[in-house]
Amino acid sequence: MEKKKLGILGGMGPEATEILYKKIIEKTAVSGDRDHLDILIYSHATIPDRTECILCGKSEYLWDILKADVEMLRGAGCDYLAVPCNTCHFFAERFNGLMDGGFINMIEETAEYAAGRRYKKVGIMATDGTVQNDMYGKALRTKGIEAVYPDEEGQKKVMSIIYDEIKAGEKGDRHKFMEVAGPLRDEGCEAIILACTELSVFNVNYELGGDYYIDALNVLTRACIEKCGARYMI
């Protein structure tokens, strides 16, 4: 199978973009350099905050910026597009349209992964933008899976971990994280999706391990490798 060129629109945040690239390299089965994928990364770190734009009615302003970025990557010959920002998947259908079906939808791929594990009830830890638009809930319900979000206080803690800690270059407060994860487990969630790439950074920092936490960035990694024609190393 001929390999396809992957475009990554990142910078949201930059550390999550770095981790995705590193994961793709580490999880691609190779015998030499030429077995790796051709990847073009645009780390657009100065892009406006996605949650703020979506919740404050500035989504079209944000889309105009994203559209120009995607057109640049497509114009550079990228066959597939990955966006390691869950909140940006608010524009998933538009991304897919610009890429002629070549958008790798992290949310849909993660929902498919959860369905493959036969989960029926899954917790979601994500930004306010992702939560309030029920992005994961919609995807999971099509698979017969119930999505459970943190309560109001729990969601504030998730946002604090993402914005006050990880985006500020800190490691993240594990105790605060567990104060959110614990009640979700108590509600009967069979797994928790780390549905923000800053939480994927948190996962790398603490090596949460096990099957209980589904890291959406890990799911995206595998999808990028396989869709672009390389072999994923299990």
Side-chain angles (χ1 to χ4, degrees):
M1 179 179 176
E2 181 184 354
K3 290 190 181 70
K4 302 296 184 181
K5 183 182 291 185
L6 175 66
I8 298 176
L9 176 53
M12 304 171 275
E15 194 172 0
T17 304
E18 176 198 17
I19 288 171
L20 175 60
Y21 181 49
K22 187 171 186 289
K23 284 178 179 290
I24 291 173
I25 293 171
E26 290 175 343
K27 298 301 289 185
T28 302
V30 301
S31 58
D33 289 347
R34 289 190 296 275
D35 293 327
H36 283 283
L37 298 177
D38 290 332
I39 301 175
L40 184 60
I41 301 172
Y42 179 31
S43 184
H44 194 166
T46 59
I47 201 165
D49 185 82
R50 282 65 60 202
T51 293
E52 180 181 345
C53 285
I54 290 169
L55 297 182
C56 294
K58 297 180 180 177
S59 60
E60 291 306 312
Y61 166 70
L62 175 61
W63 170 246
D64 287 342
I65 298 170
L66 293 169
K67 181 174 182 285
D69 291 349
V70 175
E71 288 175 339
M72 176 188 66
L73 290 169
R74 187 70 196 274
C78 294
D79 302 289
Y80 283 95
L81 171 70
V83 181
C85 170
N86 286 272
T87 309
C88 256
H89 282 61
F90 179 80
F91 302 106
E93 290 187 9
R94 298 192 193 186
F95 284 140
N96 203 41
L98 284 179
M99 293 299 299
D100 291 337
F103 175 59
I104 304 174
N105 189 319
M106 176 162 49
I107 294 177
E108 294 291 341
E109 294 287 342
T110 304
E112 186 67 34
Y113 175 85
R117 299 187 74 85
R118 299 186 179 180
Y119 293 138
K120 294 299 181 185
K121 191 173 186 179
V122 173
I124 310 296
M125 293 176 69
T127 66
D128 287 349
T130 302
V131 170
Q132 292 188 30
N133 284 282
D134 194 30
M135 296 183 199
Y136 271 88
K138 293 171 184 174
L140 288 166
R141 285 192 293 275
T142 65
K143 309 291 184 184
I145 303 171
E146 178 185 355
V148 181
Y149 296 106
D151 61 16
E152 184 176 350
E153 286 304 310
Q155 184 60 28
K156 287 179 181 178
K157 290 176 182 177
V158 173
M159 288 293 284
S160 178
I161 293 169
I162 293 169
Y163 281 89
D164 300 333
E165 296 170 9
I166 302 298
K167 284 185 179 292
E170 298 178 11
K171 189 175 181 180
D173 187 330
R174 187 184 178 102
H175 178 70
K176 188 187 296 182
F177 178 91
M178 291 303 174
E179 286 180 336
V180 181
L184 291 174
R185 187 189 288 266
D186 292 342
E187 284 190 54
C189 292
E190 300 163 89
I192 293 175
I193 296 176
L194 304 181
C196 172
T197 50
E198 262 56 61
L199 296 178
S200 300
V201 175
F202 181 95
N203 188 20
V204 170
N205 290 341
Y206 286 100
E207 298 181 349
L208 296 174
D211 294 330
Y212 190 70
Y213 298 101
I214 302 173
D215 191 332
L217 202 63
N218 288 342
V219 177
L220 179 61
T221 297
R222 182 166 188 164
C224 287
I225 292 169
E226 293 181 343
K227 287 182 183 293
C228 290
R231 187 164 60 88
Y232 180 78
M233 185 168 58
I234 298 175

